[in-house]
Coordinates of all heavy atoms in Angstrom, one line a residue:
E490 N -5.7 38.8 -9.2 CA -4.7 38.1 -8.4 C -3.9 37.1 -9.3 O -3.1 36.3 -8.8 CB -5.4 37.2 -7.3 CG -6.3 38.0 -6.4 CD -7.2 37.2 -5.5 OE1 -7.0 35.9 -5.5 OE2 -8.1 37.7 -4.9
E491 N -4.1 37.2 -10.6 CA -3.6 36.1 -11.5 C -2.2 36.2 -12.0 O -1.9 36.1 -13.2 CB -4.6 35.9 -12.6 CG -5.8 35.0 -12.3 CD -5.3 33.7 -11.8 OE1 -4.9 32.8 -12.6 OE2 -5.4 33.4 -10.6
R492 N -1.3 36.5 -11.1 CA 0.1 36.5 -11.5 C 0.6 35.0 -11.5 O 0.1 34.2 -10.7 CB 0.9 37.4 -10.6 CG 0.7 38.9 -10.9 CD 1.2 39.8 -9.8 NE 0.9 41.2 -10.2 CZ -0.3 41.8 -10.1 NH1 -1.3 41.1 -9.5 NH2 -0.4 43.0 -10.4
K493 N 1.5 34.7 -12.4 CA 1.9 33.3 -12.6 C 3.3 33.0 -12.2 O 4.1 33.9 -11.9 CB 1.7 33.0 -14.1 CG 0.3 33.1 -14.5 CD -0.6 32.1 -13.9 CE -2.0 32.0 -14.4 NZ -2.9 31.0 -13.8
G494 N 3.6 31.7 -12.1 CA 4.9 31.2 -11.7 C 4.9 30.9 -10.2 O 3.9 30.3 -9.7
I495 N 5.9 31.3 -9.5 CA 5.9 31.2 -8.1 C 5.7 32.6 -7.5 O 6.4 33.5 -7.8 CB 7.3 30.6 -7.6 CG1 7.4 29.1 -8.1 CG2 7.3 30.6 -6.0 CD1 8.8 28.5 -7.7
T496 N 4.7 32.7 -6.7 CA 4.2 34.1 -6.4 C 4.7 34.5 -5.0 O 4.6 35.7 -4.7 CB 2.7 34.1 -6.4 OG1 2.2 33.2 -5.5 CG2 2.1 33.9 -7.8
R497 N 5.3 33.6 -4.2 CA 5.7 34.1 -2.9 C 7.1 33.5 -2.6 O 8.1 34.2 -2.8 CB 4.7 33.7 -1.8 CG 3.4 34.5 -2.0 CD 2.5 34.3 -0.7 NE 1.2 35.0 -0.9 CZ 0.1 34.4 -1.0 NH1 0.0 33.1 -0.9 NH2 -1.0 35.1 -1.2
S498 N 7.2 32.3 -2.0 CA 8.4 31.8 -1.5 C 8.6 30.3 -1.7 O 7.6 29.6 -2.0 CB 8.6 32.1 0.0 OG 7.5 31.5 0.7
V499 N 9.8 29.8 -1.4 CA 10.1 28.4 -1.5 C 10.9 28.0 -0.2 O 11.8 28.7 0.1 CB 10.9 28.0 -2.8 CG1 11.1 26.5 -2.7 CG2 10.1 28.4 -4.0
R500 N 10.5 26.9 0.4 CA 11.2 26.5 1.6 C 11.5 25.0 1.5 O 10.8 24.2 0.8 CB 10.4 26.7 2.9 CG 9.9 28.1 3.2 CD 9.4 28.2 4.6 NE 8.6 27.1 5.1 CZ 7.3 27.1 4.9 NH1 6.6 28.0 4.3 NH2 6.6 26.1 5.4
V501 N 12.6 24.6 2.1 CA 12.9 23.2 2.3 C 12.9 23.1 3.9 O 13.8 23.5 4.6 CB 14.3 22.8 1.8 CG1 14.5 21.3 2.2 CG2 14.3 22.9 0.2
G502 N 11.8 22.4 4.3 CA 11.6 22.4 5.8 C 11.4 23.8 6.3 O 10.5 24.5 5.8
A503 N 12.1 24.2 7.3 CA 12.0 25.6 7.8 C 12.9 26.6 7.1 O 12.9 27.8 7.5 CB 12.3 25.6 9.3
T504 N 13.7 26.2 6.2 CA 14.7 27.0 5.5 C 14.2 27.6 4.3 O 13.9 26.9 3.3 CB 16.0 26.2 5.2 OG1 16.5 25.7 6.5 CG2 17.0 27.2 4.6
E505 N 14.1 28.9 4.2 CA 13.6 29.6 3.0 C 14.8 29.7 2.1 O 16.0 30.0 2.5 CB 13.1 31.0 3.3 CG 12.5 31.7 2.0 CD 11.7 32.9 2.3 OE1 11.5 33.3 3.5 OE2 11.3 33.6 1.4
L506 N 14.6 29.5 0.7 CA 15.6 29.5 -0.3 C 15.7 30.9 -0.9 O 14.6 31.5 -1.3 CB 15.4 28.4 -1.3 CG 15.3 27.0 -0.9 CD1 15.2 26.1 -2.0 CD2 16.4 26.6 0.1
F507 N 16.9 31.4 -1.0 CA 17.1 32.7 -1.6 C 18.1 32.5 -2.8 O 18.6 31.4 -3.1 CB 17.7 33.7 -0.6 CG 16.8 34.0 0.5 CD1 17.0 33.3 1.8 CD2 15.8 34.9 0.4 CE1 16.2 33.5 2.8 CE2 15.0 35.1 1.5 CZ 15.2 34.5 2.7
D508 N 18.3 33.6 -3.5 CA 19.3 33.7 -4.6 C 18.9 32.7 -5.7 O 19.6 31.7 -6.0 CB 20.7 33.4 -4.1 CG 21.2 34.4 -3.1 OD1 20.8 35.6 -3.3 OD2 21.8 34.0 -2.1
W509 N 17.9 33.0 -6.5 CA 17.3 32.2 -7.5 C 17.8 32.6 -8.9 O 18.1 33.8 -9.2 CB 15.8 32.3 -7.5 CG 15.2 31.6 -6.3 CD1 14.9 32.2 -5.1 CD2 14.7 30.2 -6.3 NE1 14.3 31.2 -4.3 CE2 14.2 30.0 -5.0 CE3 14.7 29.2 -7.2 CZ2 13.7 28.8 -4.6 CZ3 14.2 28.0 -6.8 CH2 13.7 27.8 -5.5
T510 N 17.9 31.6 -9.8 CA 18.2 31.8 -11.2 C 16.9 31.4 -11.9 O 16.4 30.3 -11.7 CB 19.3 31.0 -11.7 OG1 20.5 31.3 -11.0 CG2 19.6 31.3 -13.2
H511 N 16.4 32.4 -12.7 CA 15.1 32.2 -13.4 C 15.4 32.0 -14.9 O 16.2 32.7 -15.5 CB 14.2 33.4 -13.3 CG 13.9 33.8 -11.9 ND1 14.8 34.4 -11.1 CD2 12.8 33.7 -11.1 CE1 14.3 34.7 -9.9 NE2 13.1 34.3 -9.9
Y512 N 14.7 31.0 -15.5 CA 14.8 30.8 -17.0 C 13.5 31.1 -17.5 O 12.6 30.2 -17.5 CB 15.3 29.5 -17.3 CG 16.8 29.2 -16.9 CD1 17.1 28.8 -15.7 CD2 17.8 29.5 -17.8 CE1 18.5 28.6 -15.3 CE2 19.2 29.3 -17.5 CZ 19.5 28.8 -16.2 OH 20.8 28.6 -15.9
P513 N 13.2 32.3 -18.1 CA 11.8 32.5 -18.7 C 11.7 31.7 -20.0 O 12.7 31.6 -20.8 CB 11.8 34.0 -19.0 CG 12.9 34.6 -18.1 CD 13.9 33.5 -18.0
L514 N 10.6 31.0 -20.2 CA 10.4 30.1 -21.3 C 9.1 30.4 -22.0 O 8.1 29.7 -21.9 CB 10.5 28.7 -20.8 CG 11.8 28.2 -20.2 CD1 11.6 26.8 -19.5 CD2 12.8 28.0 -21.3
P515 N 9.0 31.5 -22.7 CA 7.8 31.8 -23.5 C 7.6 30.9 -24.7 O 6.5 30.8 -25.2 CB 8.0 33.3 -23.9 CG 9.4 33.5 -23.9 CD 10.0 32.6 -22.8
L516 N 8.7 30.2 -25.1 CA 8.6 29.2 -26.2 C 8.0 29.8 -27.5 O 7.3 29.1 -28.2 CB 7.9 28.0 -25.7 CG 8.4 27.3 -24.5 CD1 7.6 26.1 -24.1 CD2 9.9 27.0 -24.6
T517 N 8.4 31.0 -27.8 CA 8.0 31.6 -29.1 C 8.8 31.2 -30.3 O 8.4 31.4 -31.4 CB 7.9 33.1 -28.9 OG1 9.2 33.6 -28.5 CG2 6.9 33.6 -27.9
D518 N 10.0 30.7 -30.0 CA 10.9 30.3 -31.1 C 11.6 29.0 -30.7 O 12.5 29.0 -29.8 CB 11.9 31.4 -31.4 CG 12.8 31.0 -32.6 OD1 12.6 30.0 -33.2 OD2 13.7 31.8 -32.8
L519 N 11.3 27.9 -31.4 CA 11.9 26.6 -31.1 C 12.9 26.2 -32.2 O 13.4 25.1 -32.2 CB 10.8 25.5 -31.0 CG 9.7 25.8 -30.0 CD1 8.8 24.6 -30.0 CD2 10.3 26.0 -28.6
S520 N 13.2 27.1 -33.1 CA 14.0 26.8 -34.3 C 15.5 26.5 -33.9 O 16.2 25.9 -34.8 CB 14.0 28.0 -35.3 OG 14.5 29.2 -34.7
R521 N 16.0 26.9 -32.8 CA 17.4 26.7 -32.4 C 17.6 25.5 -31.6 O 18.7 25.2 -31.2 CB 17.9 27.9 -31.7 CG 17.8 29.2 -32.5 CD 18.2 30.4 -31.6 NE 19.6 30.2 -31.1 CZ 20.1 30.9 -30.0 NH1 19.3 31.7 -29.4 NH2 21.3 30.7 -29.6
L522 N 16.6 24.7 -31.4 CA 16.8 23.4 -30.7 C 17.6 22.4 -31.5 O 17.4 22.3 -32.7 CB 15.4 22.8 -30.3 CG 14.5 23.5 -29.4 CD1 13.2 22.8 -29.2 CD2 15.2 23.6 -28.0
H523 N 18.5 21.7 -30.8 CA 19.3 20.7 -31.4 C 18.9 19.3 -30.9 O 19.1 19.0 -29.7 CB 20.8 21.0 -31.1 CG 21.3 22.3 -31.6 ND1 21.5 22.5 -32.9 CD2 21.6 23.5 -30.9 CE1 21.9 23.8 -33.1 NE2 22.0 24.4 -31.9
Y524 N 18.4 18.5 -31.8 CA 17.8 17.2 -31.4 C 18.9 16.1 -31.7 O 19.8 16.3 -32.5 CB 16.6 16.9 -32.2 CG 15.5 17.8 -32.0 CD1 15.3 19.0 -32.8 CD2 14.5 17.6 -31.0 CE1 14.3 19.8 -32.6 CE2 13.4 18.5 -30.8 CZ 13.3 19.6 -31.6 OH 12.3 20.5 -31.4
S525 N 18.7 15.0 -31.0 CA 19.5 13.8 -31.3 C 18.7 12.6 -31.2 O 17.6 12.6 -30.5 CB 20.7 13.7 -30.3 OG 20.2 13.6 -29.0
Q526 N 19.1 11.5 -31.8 CA 18.5 10.2 -31.7 C 18.7 9.7 -30.3 O 19.8 9.8 -29.7 CB 19.0 9.2 -32.7 CG 18.8 9.6 -34.2 CD 17.4 9.3 -34.7 OE1 16.7 8.6 -34.0 NE2 17.1 9.8 -35.8
R527 N 17.7 9.0 -29.7 CA 17.8 8.5 -28.3 C 17.1 7.2 -28.3 O 15.9 7.1 -28.5 CB 17.2 9.5 -27.3 CG 17.5 9.1 -25.9 CD 16.9 10.1 -24.9 NE 17.1 9.7 -23.5 CZ 18.0 10.2 -22.7 NH1 18.8 11.1 -23.2 NH2 18.1 9.9 -21.5
S528 N 17.8 6.1 -28.0 CA 17.2 4.8 -28.0 C 16.6 4.5 -26.7 O 15.6 3.7 -26.7 CB 18.3 3.7 -28.3 OG 19.3 3.8 -27.4
Q529 N 17.1 4.9 -25.6 CA 16.5 4.6 -24.3 C 15.4 5.6 -23.8 O 15.5 6.8 -24.2 CB 17.6 4.5 -23.2 CG 18.4 5.8 -23.0 CD 19.6 5.5 -22.1 OE1 20.2 4.5 -22.1 NE2 20.0 6.6 -21.4
P530 N 14.5 5.2 -23.1 CA 13.4 6.1 -22.7 C 13.9 7.2 -21.7 O 14.9 7.0 -21.0 CB 12.4 5.2 -22.0 CG 13.2 4.0 -21.5 CD 14.3 3.8 -22.5
R531 N 13.3 8.3 -21.8 CA 13.7 9.4 -20.9 C 12.5 9.8 -20.1 O 11.3 9.7 -20.5 CB 14.2 10.6 -21.7 CG 13.2 11.4 -22.5 CD 13.9 12.5 -23.3 NE 15.0 13.1 -22.6 CZ 16.2 13.5 -23.2 NH1 16.2 13.5 -24.6 NH2 17.2 14.0 -22.6
T532 N 12.7 10.2 -18.9 CA 11.7 10.6 -17.9 C 11.6 12.1 -17.6 O 10.7 12.6 -16.9 CB 11.8 9.8 -16.6 OG1 13.1 10.1 -16.0 CG2 11.7 8.3 -16.9
D533 N 12.6 12.8 -18.1 CA 12.7 14.3 -17.8 C 11.9 15.1 -18.8 O 11.6 14.5 -19.9 CB 14.2 14.7 -17.8 CG 14.8 14.5 -19.1 OD1 14.5 13.4 -19.8 OD2 15.7 15.3 -19.6
P534 N 11.5 16.3 -18.5 CA 10.8 17.1 -19.5 C 11.7 17.3 -20.8 O 12.9 17.6 -20.7 CB 10.6 18.4 -18.8 CG 10.6 18.1 -17.3 CD 11.6 17.0 -17.2
A535 N 11.1 17.1 -21.9 CA 11.9 17.0 -23.2 C 11.0 17.4 -24.4 O 9.8 17.3 -24.3 CB 12.5 15.7 -23.4
F536 N 11.7 17.9 -25.4 CA 11.1 18.2 -26.7 C 11.4 16.9 -27.6 O 12.5 16.3 -27.6 CB 11.7 19.4 -27.4 CG 11.5 20.7 -26.7 CD1 12.4 21.2 -25.7 CD2 10.4 21.4 -27.0 CE1 12.1 22.4 -25.1 CE2 10.1 22.6 -26.4 CZ 11.0 23.1 -25.4
W537 N 10.3 16.5 -28.3 CA 10.4 15.4 -29.2 C 10.0 15.9 -30.6 O 9.1 16.7 -30.8 CB 9.5 14.3 -28.8 CG 9.9 13.6 -27.5 CD1 9.7 14.1 -26.2 CD2 10.6 12.4 -27.3 NE1 10.2 13.3 -25.3 CE2 10.8 12.2 -25.9 CE3 11.2 11.5 -28.2 CZ2 11.5 11.1 -25.4 CZ3 11.9 10.4 -27.7 CH2 12.1 10.2 -26.3
R538 N 10.7 15.4 -31.6 CA 10.5 15.8 -33.0 C 10.2 14.6 -33.9 O 10.9 13.6 -33.8 CB 11.6 16.7 -33.5 CG 11.3 17.2 -34.9 CD 12.4 18.2 -35.3 NE 13.7 17.6 -35.6 CZ 14.8 18.3 -36.0 NH1 14.7 19.6 -36.2 NH2 15.9 17.7 -36.2
G539 N 9.2 14.8 -34.8 CA 9.0 13.7 -35.8 C 8.4 14.3 -37.1 O 8.1 15.6 -37.1
Q540 N 8.3 13.6 -38.1 CA 7.8 14.0 -39.4 C 6.8 13.0 -40.0 O 6.8 11.9 -39.6 CB 9.0 14.1 -40.4 CG 10.0 15.2 -40.1 CD 11.1 14.7 -39.1 OE1 11.4 13.5 -39.1 NE2 11.5 15.6 -38.3
F541 N 5.9 13.6 -40.8 CA 5.0 12.7 -41.6 C 4.9 13.4 -42.9 O 5.1 14.6 -43.1 CB 3.7 12.6 -40.9 CG 2.9 13.8 -40.6 CD1 2.0 14.3 -41.5 CD2 3.1 14.6 -39.5 CE1 1.2 15.5 -41.3 CE2 2.4 15.7 -39.2 CZ 1.4 16.2 -40.1
T542 N 4.4 12.6 -43.9 CA 4.2 13.1 -45.3 C 2.8 12.9 -45.7 O 2.1 11.9 -45.4 CB 5.2 12.2 -46.2 OG1 6.5 12.4 -45.8 CG2 5.1 12.8 -47.6
L543 N 2.3 13.9 -46.4 CA 0.9 13.9 -46.9 C 0.9 14.0 -48.4 O 1.6 14.8 -49.0 CB 0.1 15.1 -46.3 CG -0.1 15.0 -44.8 CD1 -0.9 16.3 -44.4 CD2 -0.9 13.8 -44.4

Side-chain angles (χ1 to χ4, degrees):
E490 305 169 11
E491 275 303 284
R492 286 163 180 83
K493 295 298 187 179
I495 295 174
T496 57
R497 295 193 182 113
S498 63
V499 180
R500 303 194 318 271
V501 176
T504 303
E505 184 171 355
L506 303 188
F507 298 97
D508 300 322
W509 288 88
T510 301
H511 307 71
Y512 292 89
L514 296 166
L516 304 182
T517 53
D518 181 7
L519 305 182
S520 63
R521 297 174 61 200
L522 292 176
H523 298 289
Y524 298 89
S525 62
Q526 298 278 349
R527 187 182 179 98
S528 58
Q529 60 189 30
R531 71 181 329 142
T532 59
D533 58 325
F536 294 93
W537 294 81
R538 184 170 69 175
Q540 294 84 32
F541 61 92
T542 302
L543 293 177

